[in-house]
Each structure stands twice: as structure tokens, then as C-alpha cells.
Amino acid sequence: MLLTPPTSRNLKLLSHRRSESTPTLASVAPLSPKDVNSSLYMSHEAGLEGSHHHQQEKDDGGSTSAASVKKISKIACIGAGYVGGPTSALIALRNHDVDVTVVDIDAQRISAWNSAILPVYERGLLDVVTLCRDGKLASDGAILMDHRARPSPNRIGLKSPSEEYGRSLFAIGGPRRPNLFFTTKLEEAIREADMIFISVNTPTKMHGVGKGCASDMGSFEAAARSIAQYARSDKIVVEKSTVPCKTADALRKLLEANSRPGVSFEILSNPEFLAEGTAVADLLDPDRVLIGHSPTDSGVQAAAALATIYLSWVKPDRIITMNLWSSELAKLAANALLAQRISSINSLSAICEKTGADIDEVAFACGLDSRLGPGMLKAGPGFGGSCFKKDILSLVYMAESLHLYEVASYWKSVVEMNEYQKDRFAKRIVSCLFDTLTEKKIAVLGFAYKKGTSDTRESPAIDVVCHLVAERARVAIYDPAVQEGRIWNELESHHRDMQSLKNYVSVCRSAYDACHGAHAVVILTEWEEFSNKNHPSLSGTKPQTSIAPGCRNGNVSGTTAAGGLGANGNHAHIGNPSREAHGSTLLRPSVLPAEHSLLDSHGDHANPRLDWRRVGMNMEKPRFVFDGRGIMDREKLERLGFNVEAVGKAGAMYERHQ
């Protein structure tokens, strides 16, 4: 029997009852009613009120005391990467009484997390980390978390672009007790923690059985063995890494086989659904938080303990519990379905280029169908990022292992279409430049796999640049967020002839330097400074004569400049501009002085727009622009004397070569 809330807040609790009717979003968990809800609420409210005592009525199936929910006072996160760092920072931000320790064997990475130049660029992240790590900001006063609203066709139907991109400003507090720590002391972090997140990389395996498809679980297993070795008391172990289905079973066996006598572990699955570039906003305002657990009483209690952590800022109806295998598979499935949409729209872009149809108009028309929605329907050079390809290939390997070869072939085609799109885009450049690129300078604007992040993993730019180098083109690269060393590392890992790369590739400090003397400009990341449209954030979302519904690009590529239309690799997100995170104060933008529109010390990379007239004056003729992201106004460029080739749109030079 559920507890009556002890305060007037009357929060709607998670419902875990099975029903003969179709379950709602928050009622998918196959649990009995005795468990998480009352315990979870009691734990949450006790922390806030501190003076309430509750008793739960016993039912025939037994009882679960609210007081039995383990109070989490210390959390350790193994892995200080793109997921572990931001996730730990937000947990620390919203749980003042919980100490969160991020541990990694990479001393250089930990040193960066303890500095003013974080190893991960995310909008607003530095302020959050600084506040929780140091107890105060570098500057005086409370900070404002500024992020764009993230509308979703699944939740709300926004009527105009201005609504879609309205801003939400959240005050996240002033000076406080530091409760976020970054360290290389693995043993100490494990011993002291009540709950341990495993958030290590699980890349595609590049050797042995499953090479090219299976997930490389080496780091994950090493983390598990360390937990078993150093744990001196019972622990809740949380899978945060993206893992194959049934990994929890293997994790349990590893822990039990290597642990000390009397030490027990409860395993949870809590996959992340972050889109790089909007990770802080996604964490503050998640679409859902999944918690997979075992059906035992201890499993239920562990889930309740983790849910209590999230309840400090996430609405209860977005915290969803389910069995372990469903939670593990849900992450792979979500990424596979998002990537499928990208490959689908990219396949249609090839047809558009041959027929004269416009891919933006086709995508807009399809997105108006309520069964489809507009998310992830923006054509581009292919999806990138660390997740989509890796997770689809993991799904392919899983299907093959289960002898489901038709299923494996189906999902593998999504990756094959993505590779085809990158190859097709590069060949279009060669074709338009009179079938030879030898000694021609090609400016590449953008190397990150999408705007808003410095992440270059699996970026389409890598393959395109390597293709151009193979044609003996002189490639000049500029990206406002990616460091030169990272660009060279990516190219070197994909191109065996490093000397050839050094001879033909240069990394420039400005877009003007990259474009000077170029025969063509190739836009591969949708940074707004490259765009010549009046509203770059809305680029490519709709035909000029129509009003598009609100949409945001989740990858995107993801995330696109086009908000939900991203076609290149992000999670499609969705939110209400006016929705307020628990514990935050929603502020009206009109009352805020301009200097309070804070991001972090990296800035928003909102550099001045390129002067395309100036760019053109210093290029070789005929001048070409290859718009891989749909962020350019073609007519404006053509009036300046450019030949414009865009994905999903037939170009004059391209048609001439067919």
C-alpha cells in the first residue's frame, strides 16, 4: 500500500503496479506494489524534512519498510569521460548532502577536471563543476544555467520558431560545501562509496572474435574486478556505460567470484541518454531516467535508493523502472532507431539530388505526420559521435550471436548507408571540381561531429578529409572548438600514411585562413558562424513559405543547428521551455542584465559570422561551396558568385556531370 505523502506537496509517485490496461510511461516496471514507491518517497522526504516518521501497512505479500532504503551519502563514478564527468557534476549539484567522487586511471584527464580547462566542452558545464568542486564560482554571485528549450513532438506542439528556441534560465545556487571530487585513487573511492557508477568506454572491438562489431568490454571488466577487489562493504553497482544486453549477469558473476566473504552487490542498469552539445540541459531536464533492477527485494530497494538521488531534481513520472535486460537493451535500441532515421533521410537525399526534389521540403512534409514527427530528419554527410555506429554494431553482433541473421543484416544496413553517404558526399566534391583535386586547396569548415561539442569521434569530417587527401588535394581545416592535436590524432588513426597527411593537410586558426586561396569550401559542422542565413538555428527545417512546428536536433549530428531535425547523430530531445527543474528558480530573461547570460569560460563559440563576400574575394575561380549541413542560403551565395552544392538538393554543376 502506498504511503500518503507527509507534506502538502502530494507528488505523484512512481506507480509500479501491473495493470490489465496499457501501462503509462511511469508504470512499466514489473514490480509488486509493496516496494519502491513508499520507500522512495520516504527516503526523499526524510532528507528534506528530517522529522517525519512513517510506517507502511503490511500486505499479504509482506512489507518493505521505507526506512530500509539505503541512504546514499557517497557515490563513486569510475570513468571521467563524456558521460561520467557531466553526470557526476549534475548529481553533485542537485544533492548537496552527497559526496560524488569521479575516479580515473588517466592522471592527465583528472588533472584537467581539477582545472579551469575541462577535458570535455559542454555548454554550462564549467560553472557547474566549479561550483560543486570548489564550493564557489570564479566570479561572485550565483550562476545562471542558460540552455535552449528542447521541444518534443512527443510532448508538446510548439507553433513557432520563437517558441521553440525560447530560453530557460535556471539559478543553480551560490557558495556551498564542495561535494564533487576528481581523483586517481581508485581503491579509496571504491571503499568509501555506497553506490558505484561504472562509466567507462565500451568501444567496438578491433581484434579477435567479434572484431568490428562486438563491444570491447575490457575496461568495463577491469572496473568490475577493481570493485570486487577493494570493496569492504555492500555496494550498489550501477551500469552507466552502454553495454550489450545481459551484461548485468556477467557483472554479477564477476563480482561474486572475486569479492570478499560477506560483501554483497546489487546491480542496477541506468543508461545515459545524453546528446553531446546539450548534455547539461539533458541532465537537468531529462526525457526519462531508466533504472533496471532485479525483481528481488534487495533489487527493489537498490532501485529506490538510486531513484531518490534523481528525485532531487527529476519529476517522479520520468523515473521509470524495469528489468535489467530491458534497460540495457533500451539504450542500444534508442540509438539504433535514431540512427535509422538519419540513414533513411540521407538515402532519400540521394534521390532528391537526382530528381530535383528538395530534401528539406520532403523532410518537412514527412515530419508533419504525427506518427513520425520531425526529429532526426535533417540530411547531412552522415551521423557521427561515439554512440550510434558502435551501438548498432553491438546490436548486429548480438543478433548474429542469437542466429538472427536477417535482423543483423537489417541493422547493419543502417551503418552501410551512413558510410555510403560520406563516400557519396566526397565523390560529389571531386565530380564538381572537374574530376580532379590534385594540388587544389579545399577548405574544410568544421571537424567536430556536430555543433556545440569538441568531440570528433566518428565525425564524418574524418572520412571526407581522408578521401580528399587520397585525391591529392591540399586540405585546410578550421573548427572553432576542436584543438589541433585532436584533429591530427583522429586523422592519424584513420590514415596510415602520416607523412602524406602532413604534406597535404593543415589546421588553421581562422576560417579566413582556411578559405584563402581555396578552390572550394566544404562545410561539415553546423557551427552558426559559418551560416549566412538570417536564422541559422532554424536552417533547413522547413520550406520558406511555411511555418514549421518546433523541433530540436538531438544529435545530432546531430544536434543540428536545426534543432530537432538533426540528421547526423544525436538523441532527439524534447522538452517544455517553461518546465522548471526541481529546486531551480525559473527566471524571466527580461529581468536579467546581459552579462548574466553565462555559459562557461570556453564561451558558446558564438564567433562573428563569416563575411562570405570577403571569403569569395580571396578564393580561386570558379568558387564552390559544398554545404553538408544545410545551413547556407543558396541564393545569397550565388549572388556573390559562388557555385553551391548542398546535400539533398540538385546543383547545376552536379546535374551537368550526371
Side-chain angles (χ1 to χ4, degrees), residues 173-369:
R176 49 182 273 169
R177 179 184 72 87
N179 67 328
L180 177 63
F181 312 95
F182 297 93
T183 182
T184 57
K185 298 178 180 179
L186 180 63
E187 180 177 355
E188 180 180 328
I190 291 173
R191 285 186 177 182
E192 295 182 355
D194 304 308
M195 178 179 288
I196 303 171
F197 287 83
I198 301 180
S199 186
V200 297
N201 193 20
T202 54
T204 300
K205 190 176 180 182
M206 300 309 295
H207 58 274
V209 177
K211 175 182 178 181
C213 280
S215 296
D216 187 341
M217 300 296 289
S219 296
F220 190 91
E221 180 175 337
R225 290 183 180 275
S226 295
I227 293 171
Q229 178 182 358
Y230 298 131
R232 298 292 188 272
S233 59
D234 295 351
K235 308 292 182 185
I236 297 173
V237 180
V238 183
E239 297 174 341
K240 200 68 179 175
S241 300
T242 302
V243 295
C245 189
K246 303 288 282 190
T247 293
D249 192 37
L251 176 58
R252 187 182 306 280
K253 292 176 180 177
L254 274 170
L255 293 173
E256 291 176 351
N258 294 280
S259 63
R260 295 172 177 270
V263 176
S264 62
F265 302 93
E266 195 58 49
I267 298 171
L268 302 176
S269 170
N270 178 221
E272 55 84 18
F273 295 97
L274 306 180
E276 289 185 46
T278 58
V280 174
D282 297 339
L283 285 163
L284 280 171
D285 187 23
D287 293 330
R288 76 285 203 196
V289 173
L290 300 189
I291 301 176
H293 62 92
S294 66
T296 63
D297 285 344
S298 59
V300 169
Q301 291 300 309
L306 179 56
T308 300
I309 296 296
Y310 284 112
L311 267 177
S312 62
W313 81 93
V314 179
K315 292 184 178 180
D317 62 357
R318 293 190 192 170
I319 301 176
I320 307 163
T321 61
M322 57 185 61
N323 75 50
L324 281 165
W325 323 135
S326 296
S327 178
E328 290 174 339
L329 185 57
K331 173 57 190 294
L332 294 177
N335 279 350
L337 290 169
L338 292 172
Q340 177 195 48
R341 287 176 68 95
I342 296 170
S343 283
S344 295
I345 201 66
N346 281 342
S347 71
L348 293 172
S349 73
I351 297 176
C352 288
E353 291 167 17
K354 293 284 189 178
T355 62
D358 186 313
I359 191 61
D360 285 341
E361 295 177 347
V362 172
F364 174 72
C366 292
L368 292 177
D369 190 323

Side-chain angles (χ1 to χ4, degrees), residues 466-522:
C466 288
H467 194 122
L468 297 177
V469 170
E471 294 288 335
R472 298 295 185 262
R474 300 284 179 181
V475 182
I477 302 170
Y478 166 72
D479 190 289
V482 181
Q483 294 180 356
E484 180 175 352
R486 181 170 294 180
I487 293 176
W488 286 116
N489 288 340
E490 290 287 6
L491 292 176
E492 185 175 7
S493 66
H494 287 75
H495 197 285
R496 294 183 179 180
D497 187 353
M498 192 59 185
Q499 187 58 49
S500 177
L501 283 175
K502 292 290 187 180
N503 290 338
Y504 286 98
V505 177
S506 60
V507 179
C508 301
R509 293 183 175 272
S510 75
Y512 294 110
D513 289 343
C515 296
H516 187 86
H519 291 76
V521 177
V522 181

Side-chain angles (χ1 to χ4, degrees), residues 152 212 274 291 322 328 342 381 384 408 416 434 485 530 585 656:
S152 168
L274 306 180
I291 301 176
M322 57 185 61
E328 290 174 339
I342 296 170
E416 291 171 346
F434 315 106
F530 302 152
T585 303
R656 197 174 305 164

